[in-house]
Amino acid sequence: MGPKAVVGLAGALIVVLLVLSSVYIIPETHRGVKLRFGELVQTDIQAGLHFKAPVIDQVREFDVRVLTMDLPSRQYLTVEKKPLDVDSYVAWRIRDVDQYYRATGGDEFRARSLLQSRVDNGLRDAFGIRTMHEVVSGQRDELMHTLRDLTNETVGDEFGIEILDIRVKGIELPGQVSENVFRRMATEREKLAQEFRSRGQELAEGIRADADRQQVVVLANAFAEAEQTRGQGDRQAAEIYANAYGSDQEFYSFYRSLQAYRNTFAGKDDIMVIDSDSAFMRFLKDPMGAN
């Protein structure tokens, strides 16, 4: 290959390199700015194919999609001066590429640091004018929306950033405070449980006393009724016996003697000395009871 061919090939290669270095593509998800000798000459370059001056121009690209940033856990005081450990995150995006680059130099780390500082100050102010109940449950959504709107008023104009959402992931009491709260809650629950036990014991004693009283009344009434029934039975039995024995006195005498013999001679080893002519022995001597 001759010298002219080499020079021509080198020239063509240089032209190709110059063309390639003059063309750049901005992705759909990004926007760009053009710098010339470090000076900003074009901002908010849209997605697509673009041209620049080789060597002297430089292009910076920035992601304009929604980005999220987890904020480190911070402790804030409520209006009652109660500390709360808060975990939160921010959803944000670049709204104005020109202002974003001028404020941060295109450094996303610096942008995150500035955004974190503004949100941190906003959370501290928002928690400081609300009670614990309001920030935990009562007004959390309202607090987040208000904080987002207020923060947007500053970061939008200063940094070209738009905050889409600020959310609290968790709110917890500090460790020592949590222990004190749990201890106080346990004491209150124990006190309440003791009140329930005392009230239950009082009710149990009342029920037991009423049951004992009812038992005594029932037993007394039953005993009185039983005695009355027994008395009526004894009276009727006495009348029957009297009528029966009155109609046949000899049979009554015989029946009574048999009962006496049964009771007297119940034991086999019993010994009794008695005159055989006594009236007690007359039915043993003669079943007819003759003297």
Side-chain angles (χ1 to χ4, degrees), residues 5 20 26-27 29 34 47 49 85 130 140 142 145 151 176 189 192 213 291:
L20 290 178
I26 301 294
T29 57
K34 184 188 295 185
L49 180 65
D85 289 337
R130 288 174 172 84
R140 182 185 293 193
E142 179 185 349
H145 293 159
T151 309
Q176 183 176 1
R189 292 298 179 269
L192 184 60
R213 181 186 61 79
N291 290 326

Side-chain angles (χ1 to χ4, degrees), residues 5 28 40 53 59 78 85 96 111-112 120 150 163 172 178-179 205 216 221 239 256 269 273:
E28 187 66 29
L40 189 64
V59 177
T78 64
D85 289 337
D96 187 336
R112 289 176 177 269
D120 180 47
L150 291 176
I163 296 177
E172 297 181 356
S178 298
E179 293 179 2
E205 290 296 330
V216 172
N221 292 336
E239 291 178 354
R256 295 288 293 172
D269 298 330
V273 180

Side-chain angles (χ1 to χ4, degrees), residues 197-218:
R197 292 193 194 99
S198 301
R199 194 178 307 168
Q201 291 176 356
E202 182 180 354
L203 292 175
E205 290 296 330
I207 294 172
R208 191 176 296 110
D210 183 64
D212 292 341
R213 181 186 61 79
Q214 293 182 17
Q215 179 187 16
V216 172
V217 172
V218 170

Side-chain angles (χ1 to χ4, degrees), residues 23-27 47-50 61:
V23 176
Y24 63 95
I25 298 175
I26 301 294
L49 180 65
H50 302 276
E61 298 178 5

Side-chain angles (χ1 to χ4, degrees), residues 166-183:
I166 300 176
R167 287 291 167 181
V168 172
K169 296 187 295 183
I171 299 177
E172 297 181 356
L173 293 171
Q176 183 176 1
V177 177
S178 298
E179 293 179 2
N180 294 335
V181 171
F182 293 150
R183 191 178 301 111

